[in-house]
């Protein structure tokens, strides 16, 4: 079988993860047919994804990892998930940012994707507790020099989590003294019952402070976050102004969200405003 050269390794692996999650497991021979690649290529992809902790290899295929509510994947592991959805969400969220505003970006791979989309928005003040997000802006300045209108970036300080967020008393105190026009918030899980949640207790408190310091809260989360519940809740859905998500969010979830949020933005789709 000839290799399908149109799919990069990360694209193949994202498709594999989606199949495993959607179907609850998948066999190697099914993946070779679907992806148009050899058994050896699929097995290498499964090995790589298993090392990242995003699936579990079993005889002849792979199944989802059963995660406890306290399990917190690292940044690299999460970066491999839902790549296209995160890019779509980032582009849609960037359209909600006004030049010259003061914004906050929480930790997370979706806010990291959003940071790349904001590099050309002039005169932003960006507060973040994410080492990765701060590095996006600092790297751009190192590459292109200190240009007029470049963002002013404030990194909160704090204790580093597996997802490269800074949390704890230092971060909480810094955030409590600030006021943002808009907070863009990445989440581990979102549901009607638990609201927004995370497996990290210290991160929950820091996110709580971020929500309290923002005039407007926009959650950026792909469809796989819906129905996921972490150990600690830090905000109810009613505290959120807008959810920006992707087209994979099912209709029943959209209906539930519309009952609790002012606005739902689905990247790539015409907006059905639910403002109240």
């Amino acid at each position: 079988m000839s290799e399908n050269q149109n799919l990069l390794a990360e694209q193949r692996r994202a498709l594999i993860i989606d199949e495993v999650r959607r179907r609850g497991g998948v066999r190697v021979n099914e993946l070779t047919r679907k992806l148009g690649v050899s058994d050896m290529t699929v097995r290498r992809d499964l090995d790589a994804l298993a090392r990242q902790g995003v699936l579990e290899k079993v005889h002849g295929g792979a199944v989802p990892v059963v995660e406890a509510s306290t399990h917190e994947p690292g940044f690299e592991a999460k970066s491999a998930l839902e790549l296209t959805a995160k890019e779509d969400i980032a582009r849609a969220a960037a359209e909600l940012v006004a030049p010259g505003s003061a914004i906050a970006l929480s930790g997370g791979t979706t806010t990291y994707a959003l940071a790349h989309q904001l590099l050309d928005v002039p005169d932003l003040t960006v507060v973040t507790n994410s080492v990765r997000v701060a590095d996006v802006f600092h790297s751009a300045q190192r590459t292109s020099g200190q240009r007029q209108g470049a963002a002013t970036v404030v990194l909160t300080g704090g204790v580093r989590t597996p997802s490269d967020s800074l949390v704890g008393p230092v971060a909480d105190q810094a955030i409590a003294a600030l006021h943002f026009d808009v907070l863009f918030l990445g989440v581990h899980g979102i549901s009607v019952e638990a609201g927004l949640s995370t497996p990290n207790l210290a991160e929950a408190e820091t996110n709580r402070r971020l929500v309290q310091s923002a005039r407007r809260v926009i959650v950026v989360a792909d469809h796989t976050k819906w129905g996921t519940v972490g150990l600690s809740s830090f905000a109810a859905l009613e505290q959120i102004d807008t959810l920006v998500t992707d087209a994979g969010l099912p209709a029943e979830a959209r209906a539930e969200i519309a009952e609790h949020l002012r606005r739902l933005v689905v990247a790539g789709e015409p907006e059905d405003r639910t403002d109240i």
Side-chain angles (χ1 to χ4, degrees):
M1 181 184 295
S2 61
E3 296 288 292
N4 185 346
Q5 299 296 328
N6 294 322
L7 286 177
L8 299 174
E10 68 176 22
Q11 293 173 316
R12 279 197 319 271
R13 291 169 188 175
L15 288 170
I16 290 170
I17 293 165
D18 188 61
E19 283 290 293
V20 170
R21 282 183 160 181
R22 184 170 58 84
R23 297 171 54 189
V26 70
R27 301 187 65 81
V28 170
N29 58 5
E30 294 170 336
L31 291 173
T32 59
R33 288 194 299 269
K34 182 176 181 65
L35 300 175
V37 296
S38 67
D39 281 15
M40 185 177 297
T41 297
V42 169
R43 293 181 191 279
R44 281 200 301 264
D45 287 341
L46 294 181
D47 285 337
L49 293 170
R51 285 195 299 271
Q52 293 175 5
V54 297
L55 56 75
E56 180 181 351
K57 283 188 69 182
V58 295
H59 181 69
V63 295
V65 173
V66 178
E67 295 182 351
S69 62
T70 55
H71 176 66
E72 182 178 8
F75 187 91
E76 298 301 337
K78 291 192 288 187
S79 294
L81 304 175
E82 303 297 334
L83 296 173
T84 300
K86 289 173 183 175
E87 292 298 328
D88 292 343
I89 291 167
R91 283 190 289 270
E95 295 179 3
L96 306 178
V97 179
S101 56
I103 67 171
L105 298 178
S106 75
T109 52
T110 309
T111 49
Y112 175 75
L114 173 57
H116 287 86
Q117 298 294 326
L118 298 178
L119 292 175
D120 293 325
V121 180
D123 301 318
L124 292 179
T125 299
V126 179
V127 177
T128 186
N129 68 321
S130 168
V131 175
R132 300 281 187 147
V133 166
D135 191 56
V136 169
F137 293 98
H138 292 316
S139 294
Q141 291 178 11
R142 286 196 298 268
T143 301
S144 60
Q146 186 64 43
R147 58 182 176 79
Q148 186 175 4
T152 299
V153 181
V154 179
L155 185 62
T156 63
V159 178
R160 199 165 183 163
T161 71
S163 58
D164 286 345
S165 299
L166 299 177
V167 301
V170 172
D172 298 346
Q173 186 174 359
I175 293 165
L178 300 172
H179 305 280
F180 327 120
D181 296 314
V182 187
L183 163 64
F184 289 92
L185 186 62
V187 296
H188 172 82
I190 178 171
S191 70
V192 172
E193 297 77 17
L196 310 183
S197 61
T198 173
N200 188 302
L201 290 172
E203 186 166 34
E205 181 57 32
T206 298
N207 284 345
R208 200 171 288 120
R209 296 296 181 95
L210 284 167
V211 170
Q212 291 169 354
S213 293
R215 294 186 180 89
R216 189 156 58 106
V217 179
I218 299 177
V219 172
V220 287
D222 69 74
H223 69 279
T224 66
K225 304 297 180 67
W226 181 254
T228 297
V229 178
L231 177 66
S232 179
S233 296
F234 58 85
L237 290 188
E238 286 77 10
Q239 294 176 263
I240 308 309
D241 297 283
T242 302
L243 170 64
V244 184
T245 188
D246 65 286
L249 189 71
E252 58 270 23
R254 300 185 191 199
E256 283 189 282
I257 289 167
E259 295 178 5
H260 296 271
L261 267 67
R262 296 179 180 87
R263 185 178 183 187
L264 173 65
V265 176
V266 180
E269 295 184 5
E271 187 175 351
D272 181 14
R273 291 293 294 267
T274 58
D275 291 27
I276 57 175

